[in-house]
């Protein structure tokens, strides 16, 4: 039987808000909205009488089960498998809250699930796992995988998120996508492509500095390299990631091999001198005197939430295009622009994976949505632009077919 994930109606709150918080508008109303959760499951077929019951359940369901046992590919036609994604976390890197555990992560996972449905019509189920060992988590997800058409990994701390994603991709024949990495990277590339178009530059001429060498920073570096960005420098808390550093994790060592072709060393301030692009996925604050050393008419994407690494009012003094991760400033770099459409396209063609080519195609399609409307305050669509998910899905599906990854 197929089901849809839908918003649950909020219960009327009368008492019991945490810390005695009052009802009403503003931040406290978040508790009212979340009471009882943000999701429910509803049937898509009626069960009104004995005849309905005999079709939806026994004995009719047995015929469908037997057919699938004989021809396993029929599971895609006669269950919801091909339209449902598992949103999986261990609660170790939730939003800006850090390691708060699986139970505390559930409101975020529910939110992710309803965004899948709202923006792309994709059903999603939040799954918070109480395990931290990468192999244990991989084994758990792999055992659940027959129920799902795709796996969206969410809010899993680096560096183990890299290992978990890689092992699941190797083991499963369905899309596995760590959104904190690749969703952020796709939207960042789309915005950068349009900033380049707007200002008449070339991607190959850009000198890019990425502040943050975690999951998002590493993925952004890789996708920008694949898109032909000129020089890419990644900085962590200790400065520029370079091959001569002895303190690098395996993931950062790989990153050093893909970036920093001149072998530069030093702090973030050294990297930013003359840089054309700043991409912030780290938090903290970049001093204005450092921002002032960037190349004229730079692009500043300061995406830390709630406090951008470079405040927009400062960034606009030096940059031609400014973007943040916030909805109250222009050019919001928001993962919801990417993951619903990417999964919708992959599920549509029953793709076996989400390739680098599919991510690049998603970024190009996302950028193209507003390429005829470009301005300094519009280099990326709004999350509520109804053109976004269909455009991204179509590009992802077409690329999967072209790369031989589609199974229908």
């Amino acid at each position: 039987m197929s089901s849809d994930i839908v918003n649950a109606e909020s219960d009327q709150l009368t008492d019991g808000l945490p810390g005695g918080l009052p009802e009403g508008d503003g931040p406290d109303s978040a508790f009212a909205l979340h009471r009882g959760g943000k999701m429910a499951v509803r049937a898509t077929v009626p069960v009104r009488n004995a005849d309905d019951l005999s079709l939806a359940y026994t004995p009719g369901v047995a015929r469908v089960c037997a057919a699938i046992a004989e021809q396993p590919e029929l599971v895609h036609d006669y269950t919801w498998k091909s339209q449902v994604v598992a949103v999986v976390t261990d609660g170790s890197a939730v939003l800006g809250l850090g390691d708060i555990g699986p139970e505390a992560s559930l409101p975020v996972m529910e939110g992710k699930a309803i965004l899948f449905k709202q923006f792309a019509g994709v059903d999603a189920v939040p799954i918070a796992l109480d395990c931290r060992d990468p192999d244990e988590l991989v084994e758990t997800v792999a055992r659940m995988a027959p129920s799902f058409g795709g796996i969206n990994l969410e809010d899993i701390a680096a560096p183990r998120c890299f290992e978990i994603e890689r092992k699941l991709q190797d083991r499963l024949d369905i899309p596995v996508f760590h959104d904190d990495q690749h969703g952020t990277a796709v939207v960042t590339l789309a915005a950068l492509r349009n900033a380049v178009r707007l200002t008449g530059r070339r991607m190959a001429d850009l000198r890019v500095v990425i502040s943050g060498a975690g999951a998002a920073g590493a993925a952004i570096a890789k996708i920008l390299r694949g898109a032909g960005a000129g020089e890419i420098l990644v900085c962590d808390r200790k400065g520029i990631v370079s091959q001569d550093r002895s303190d690098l994790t395996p993931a950062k060592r790989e990153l050093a091999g893909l970036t920093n072709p001149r072998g530069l060393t030093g702090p973030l301030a050294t990297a930013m001198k003359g840089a054309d692009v700043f991409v912030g996925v780290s938090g903290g604050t970049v001093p204005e005197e450092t921002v002032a050393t960037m190349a004229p008419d730079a692009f500043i994407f300061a995406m830390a939430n709630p406090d951008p690494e470079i405040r927009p009012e400062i960034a606009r003094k030096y940059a031609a295009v400014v973007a943040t991760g916030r909805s109250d400033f222009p050019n919001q770099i928001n993962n919801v622009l990417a993951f619903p459409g990417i999964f919708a396209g992959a599920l549509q063609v029953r793709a076996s994976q989400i390739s680098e080519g599919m991510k690049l195609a998603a970024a190009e399609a996302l950028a193209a949505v507003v390429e005829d409307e470009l301005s300094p305050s519009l280099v990326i669509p709004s999350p509520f632009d109804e053109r976004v998910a269909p455009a991204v899905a179509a590009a992802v599906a077409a690329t999967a077919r072209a790369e031989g990854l589609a199974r229908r």
Side-chain angles (χ1 to χ4, degrees):
M1 181 186 299
S2 177
S3 302
D4 289 327
I5 301 298
V6 297
N7 288 321
E9 295 182 2
S10 298
D11 293 332
Q12 180 66 40
L13 274 177
T14 55
D15 55 21
L17 282 172
L21 293 173
E23 297 180 53
D25 295 331
D28 298 340
S29 63
F31 288 95
L33 183 144
H34 282 78
R35 176 62 67 90
K38 300 192 290 285
M39 298 169 57
V41 175
R42 68 171 178 84
T44 61
V45 297
V47 185
R48 299 162 299 195
N49 51 47
D51 288 341
D52 290 344
L53 183 60
S54 70
L55 290 174
Y57 200 54
T58 186
V61 73
R63 294 163 53 199
V64 179
C65 292
I68 294 172
E70 186 174 334
Q71 300 181 60
E73 66 275 10
L74 292 179
V75 70
H76 300 284
D77 298 315
Y78 294 109
T79 73
W80 78 336
K81 178 180 172 72
S82 280
Q83 63 190 48
V84 65
V85 172
V87 181
V88 178
T89 189
D90 63 1
S92 61
V94 181
L95 299 178
L97 302 173
D99 186 351
I100 60 175
E103 287 88 355
S105 76
L106 270 174
V108 178
M109 301 309 114
E110 287 183 5
K112 197 82 172 189
I114 65 174
L115 294 180
F116 266 109
K117 189 66 177 180
Q118 173 72 26
F119 291 105
V122 172
D123 295 305
V125 178
I127 297 175
L129 299 177
D130 185 14
C131 57
R132 295 300 172 85
D133 178 80
D135 288 331
E136 185 178 328
L137 195 147
V138 167
E139 184 66 28
T140 302
V141 175
R143 289 179 182 274
M144 295 189 302
S147 296
F148 300 100
I151 306 294
N152 184 97
L153 300 174
E154 189 76 17
D155 290 353
I156 299 174
R160 67 173 174 273
C161 62
F162 304 117
E163 177 185 357
I164 289 167
E165 183 186 42
R166 184 180 66 252
K167 288 183 174 180
L168 283 171
Q169 287 172 336
D170 290 343
R171 183 160 174 178
L172 302 178
D173 66 347
I174 59 175
V176 177
F177 186 84
H178 184 208
D179 187 50
D180 300 314
Q181 292 183 63
H182 310 301
T184 305
V186 165
V187 183
T188 301
L189 174 57
L192 186 57
R193 280 199 183 283
N194 277 343
V196 166
R197 287 179 177 130
L198 178 65
T199 57
R201 299 185 187 178
R202 296 192 318 145
M203 190 76 71
D205 296 333
L206 297 180
R207 184 165 178 265
V208 181
V209 174
I210 300 170
S211 177
I220 291 168
K222 291 175 183 177
I223 201 169
L224 294 187
R225 186 172 183 267
E231 181 182 23
I232 303 170
L233 300 175
V234 181
C235 297
D236 62 10
R237 291 184 180 87
K238 296 183 179 180
I240 302 170
V241 174
S242 59
Q243 290 184 309
D244 64 344
R245 279 177 47 179
S246 60
D247 61 342
L248 300 180
T249 64
K252 289 184 182 179
R253 196 171 300 117
E254 178 188 2
L255 193 57
L258 296 172
T259 62
N260 193 6
R262 292 186 289 155
L264 296 180
T265 60
L268 174 66
T270 298
M272 288 187 67
K273 289 178 182 177
D276 299 290
V277 183
F278 171 83
V279 177
V281 283
S282 62
T285 301
V286 179
E288 183 172 353
E289 55 266 30
T290 299
V291 180
T293 67
M294 295 182 70
D297 295 325
F299 307 145
I300 294 178
F301 296 175
M303 299 187 288
N305 259 321
D307 299 312
E309 295 90 345
I310 303 170
R311 291 286 303 179
E313 58 269 21
I314 293 174
R316 282 193 286 267
K317 294 181 183 180
Y318 307 97
V321 176
V322 177
T324 71
R326 290 174 49 152
S327 61
D328 54 345
F329 295 120
N331 297 322
Q332 184 189 19
I333 307 293
N334 190 326
N335 288 11
V336 78
L337 289 163
F339 69 82
I342 289 174
F343 268 100
L347 293 175
Q348 176 187 328
V349 297
R350 296 180 191 165
S352 58
Q353 65 181 81
I354 296 172
S355 68
E356 293 305 310
M358 292 159 73
K359 296 169 198 172
L360 289 169
E364 188 60 49
L366 177 56
V369 169
V370 292
E371 67 180 351
D372 295 329
E373 310 162 37
L374 295 180
S375 72
S377 60
L378 182 62
V379 294
I380 199 74
S382 161
F384 296 99
D385 190 323
E386 294 181 355
R387 299 171 294 176
V388 168
V392 171
V396 167
T399 304
R401 289 192 178 101
E403 294 181 345
L405 299 173
R407 289 176 288 192
R408 75 168 180 185

